[in-house]
Amino acid sequence: METEALSGLERFAQTFLNWEVLVKYAPSILAGVGVTVWLSVLIILVGMTLGTLLACLRAYRVGPLSFLIVVFADVFRALPPLVVILLVFFGLPNAGIYLSAFMVLFVVLTLILAAFAEEILWAGITSVDKGQWEAARSTGLGFTQTLGYVILPQAMRLAIPPLTNRAIAITKMTALGTVIGVPDILNQATTAQSFSGNASPLLLAALAYVLLFLPFVIMSRWLERRYSWKKA
Amino acid sequence: MNAPTQRPSLEVRGLHKHFGTFHALKGVDISVEHSELVFVLGPSGSGKSTMLRCCNRLEEPDAGDIFLEGDPVTGKGVDLNAIRQRIGMVFQSFNLYPHLSARRNVTLALRKVLGQSRDEADARAMAALEQVGLADKSENLPAALSGGQQQRVAIARALALEPQVMLFDEPTSALDPELVGDVLAVMRELKETGMTMLVVSHEMQFAREAADRVIIMDDGQIVEQGSPERIFENPNHARTRSFLSRVTGGA
Ligand SMILES: Nc1ncnc2c1ncn2[C@@H]1O[C@H](COP(=O)(O)OP(=O)(O)OP(=O)(O)O)[C@@H](O)[C@H]1O
Ligand SMILES: [Mg+2]
């Protein structure tokens, strides 16, 4: 009984904590971390900026423009990300447009994040009290100035927690790049797993994901503190 | 008081405003002379706020003309932001920017509208806060100020732009009774500096003491106007009498 249990534990360790396999494949997984981090940073920077820009454009309430923004946001929030990735990756070449797997993943996830960020910020913008607009405009500030200096900072404060969640969610979706061959963490780990016939690289990948998100969580705390003021 | 050729500071002529089919202002004429404090009274829904908000076009009038120091406020081709900076407005709900300190509430328009340098704007803001007695609270966020203090910062925010006229829409209505006095004191001092003021309020005692003229509005029209003594002691119109007896509790 005892020996059997021990051998079970040993087998478990052999499968998930094989030191030789870990050492051998750590460099490739580290390279995957680089790809995932780089991709995530790009997606978050461009996606958040684009989403903020769209929400601000929508604030001008130009009918056709607002309509287009709403259509964009709704379509990209409705479609499963994997569907869009495959559609773009396998569809665009038929149209004579060739993008690398990295570019496809970047563009698709950026647009999805922008769609969510736009909706979150729009909700924030519309929830700011009308009196804030009136007070600012009554001092001679223009529409754009009021939006930028008075409304957006308040909308941001409301948006920070949901935006952070979205940023983390979208970063996790970079793992979808595995399907089209982006050498991200998961791709490197699954490759290593199939070569070695051992699951240790997957555990290493999981650890890498955990370490990757810690800064995010810390940053979100910091942002929430920075933007937290009590309602007057 | 003024040379006969001089135009009033603020002039409102034949002001009309509809909200859908509802006729909120039915031809209002008001002129406010330089350094005059005109007090507007009237029942709820009589159009006082709407009239005030038309003066800086937070509400767009349907008809009528408004002039500030002879310059048109209404009509095509008016630089709205330029004219608004010359008209201070104080709101019932203060509307301070909650993410900015008292000082930065005041400096925002100085920097972005007047284009002042940081030092210039800070100096002006501190002077304005000093004037409302809150220089020591300049770094507080609005949430860390009492209602009365918030309203005084709001007054400083408008005042710092050195407006030619200031509009007050029930500046003390949202305040606890014990905080009203400080705000009224600031307004009284403001009048002593020669500020031109158009004030909508229910503070009768303040009207008696500080107002040069009282205007009674009802149902989108001006019922009557005159000195506070005349209006309060000897109103001409039944509508004024019934309104006054309601707000003063039949005294
Ligand atoms: N944006 C709006 N849309 C529709 N109706 C409005 C709007 N603003 C004001 N009104 C109506 O116009 C009338 C005048 O409103 P206003 O706010 O000017 O009254 P008031 O004299 O300031 O009243 P109060 O003493 O309650 O502040 C009211 O009947 C009000 O319901
Ligand atoms: Mg009102």
Side-chain angles (χ1 to χ4, degrees), chain A residues 142-153:
Chain A
F143 185 93
T144 308
Q145 289 178 317
T146 301
L147 185 60
Y149 297 120
V150 176
I151 307 301
L152 207 52

Side-chain angles (χ1 to χ4, degrees), chain B:
Chain B
M1 192 161 60
N2 290 300
T5 52
Q6 208 175 355
R7 300 186 64 166
S9 180
L10 182 70
E11 202 175 0
V12 176
R13 288 197 213 136
L15 192 63
H16 283 266
K17 177 66 188 177
H18 297 258
F19 291 109
T21 56
F22 179 72
H23 202 167
L25 294 177
K26 305 171 178 172
V28 172
D29 301 277
I30 292 176
S31 70
V32 185
E33 302 299 331
H34 293 93
S35 299
E36 193 182 22
L37 193 161
V38 173
F39 200 93
V40 182
L41 272 171
S44 181
S46 57
K48 306 179 299 292
S49 296
T50 306
M51 180 276 293
L52 218 53
R53 292 159 55 81
C54 282
C55 290
N56 66 354
R57 286 178 58 192
L58 285 181
E59 219 63 81
E60 203 53 52
D62 295 328
D65 298 298
I66 301 171
F67 298 93
L68 176 66
E69 303 291 339
D71 299 329
V73 173
T74 47
K76 289 195 185 72
V78 169
D79 183 344
L80 203 51
N81 294 332
I83 209 89
R84 277 175 174 162
Q85 140 207 333
R86 297 164 56 191
I87 305 173
M89 188 161 207
V90 176
F91 302 84
Q92 177 174 352
S93 50
F94 327 139
N95 299 346
L96 289 185
Y97 315 133
H99 59 303
L100 299 178
S101 67
R103 175 178 53 80
R104 294 190 57 210
N105 262 273
V106 181
T107 55
L108 182 63
L110 297 175
R111 303 264 288 128
K112 305 302 173 189
V113 179
L114 299 188
Q116 292 186 350
S117 71
R118 188 186 301 270
D119 290 345
E120 243 179 318
D122 278 343
R124 176 90 69 89
M126 288 313 291
L129 287 171
E130 183 78 51
Q131 197 172 339
V132 300
L134 287 173
D136 58 326
K137 303 280 185 197
S138 64
E139 300 314 308
N140 285 32
L141 287 179
L145 297 169
S146 76
Q149 290 170 337
Q150 287 186 51
Q151 190 61 296
R152 283 144 68 197
V153 172
I155 292 173
R157 175 173 67 184
L159 187 60
L161 289 160
E162 298 182 338
Q164 290 162 318
V165 61
M166 284 183 77
L167 313 172
F168 291 81
D169 192 0
E170 305 202 25
T172 58
S173 296
L175 297 176
D176 293 336
E178 71 270 19
L179 301 175
V180 169
D182 290 342
V183 171
L184 293 181
V186 166
M187 289 171 67
R188 214 173 274 124
E189 281 167 26
L190 212 51
K191 173 171 168 48
E192 274 155 28
T193 67
M195 180 59 74
T196 308
M197 298 158 82
L198 185 55
V199 180
V200 172
S201 168
H202 294 293
E203 299 292 339
M204 297 300 200
Q205 191 54 38
F206 179 73
R208 282 174 192 278
E209 292 164 13
D212 297 301
R213 188 150 48 96
V214 174
I215 291 177
I216 306 288
M217 274 184 80
D218 191 17
D219 194 22
Q221 288 169 310
I222 291 180
V223 177
E224 68 174 306
Q225 53 182 304
S227 69
E229 300 78 38
R230 219 271 293 140
I231 294 286
F232 293 135
E233 309 308 335
N234 193 15
N236 289 338
H237 287 260
R239 279 199 282 182
T240 310
R241 274 193 291 273
S242 78
F243 169 71
L244 288 177
S245 73
R246 253 181 295 138
V247 291
T248 56

Side-chain angles (χ1 to χ4, degrees), chain A:
Chain A
M1 278 279 273
E2 212 168 60
T3 47
E4 246 174 59
L6 254 178
S7 75
L9 205 63
E10 264 166 30
R11 219 176 316 127
F12 182 87
Q14 273 300 313
T15 308
F16 286 101
L17 289 169
N18 187 314
W19 187 248
E20 271 170 49
V21 175
L22 282 177
V23 169
K24 184 169 178 202
Y25 290 101
S28 72
I29 287 178
L30 207 62
V33 170
V35 171
T36 297
V37 168
W38 177 225
L39 198 55
S40 302
V41 169
L42 281 182
I43 290 168
I44 288 168
L45 283 182
V46 181
M48 291 288 183
T49 308
L50 185 61
T52 307
L53 218 64
L54 289 175
C56 288
L57 279 177
R58 197 170 161 190
Y60 288 83
R61 296 180 196 270
V62 180
L65 190 63
S66 294
F67 178 76
L68 286 178
I69 293 170
V70 170
V71 169
F72 163 80
D74 284 358
V75 166
F76 274 90
R77 291 186 310 150
L79 284 168
L82 185 57
V83 172
V84 188
I85 290 167
L86 294 178
L87 200 68
V88 172
F89 188 69
F90 294 111
L92 278 190
N94 293 331
I97 301 169
Y98 296 92
L99 293 178
S100 69
F102 185 92
M103 269 308 276
V104 168
L105 192 60
F106 164 68
V107 169
V108 170
L109 293 186
T110 296
L111 291 179
I112 292 173
L113 179 60
F116 278 101
E118 186 279 324
E119 281 302 309
I120 290 168
L121 272 166
W122 177 247
I125 287 172
T126 53
S127 71
V128 174
D129 187 70
K130 190 163 142 275
Q132 293 289 311
W133 283 98
E134 296 187 340
R137 297 305 303 273
S138 79
T139 62
L141 287 166
F143 185 93
T144 308
Q145 289 178 317
T146 301
L147 185 60
Y149 297 120
V150 176
I151 307 301
L152 207 52
Q154 298 182 54
M156 277 291 184
R157 175 189 171 253
L158 294 166
I160 286 292
L163 279 181
T164 311
N165 288 338
R166 269 299 141 195
I168 291 172
I170 214 83
T171 313
K172 287 182 195 162
M173 282 180 200
T174 54
L176 292 174
T178 303
V179 177
I180 54 173
V182 176
D184 71 320
I185 298 174
L186 185 65
N187 195 352
Q188 301 284 12
T190 48
T191 305
Q193 188 262 332
S194 60
F195 276 135
S196 65
N198 185 282
S200 299
L202 288 172
L203 189 73
L204 198 58
L207 185 71
Y209 277 113
V210 168
L211 291 179
L212 213 156
F213 286 118
L214 267 180
F216 267 110
V217 174
I218 292 165
M219 190 181 75
S220 81
R221 286 243 176 87
W222 180 80
L223 284 172
E224 263 172 56
R225 220 180 314 124
R226 188 180 178 294
Y227 278 97
S228 78
W229 63 85
K230 279 183 248 120
K231 268 257 188 283

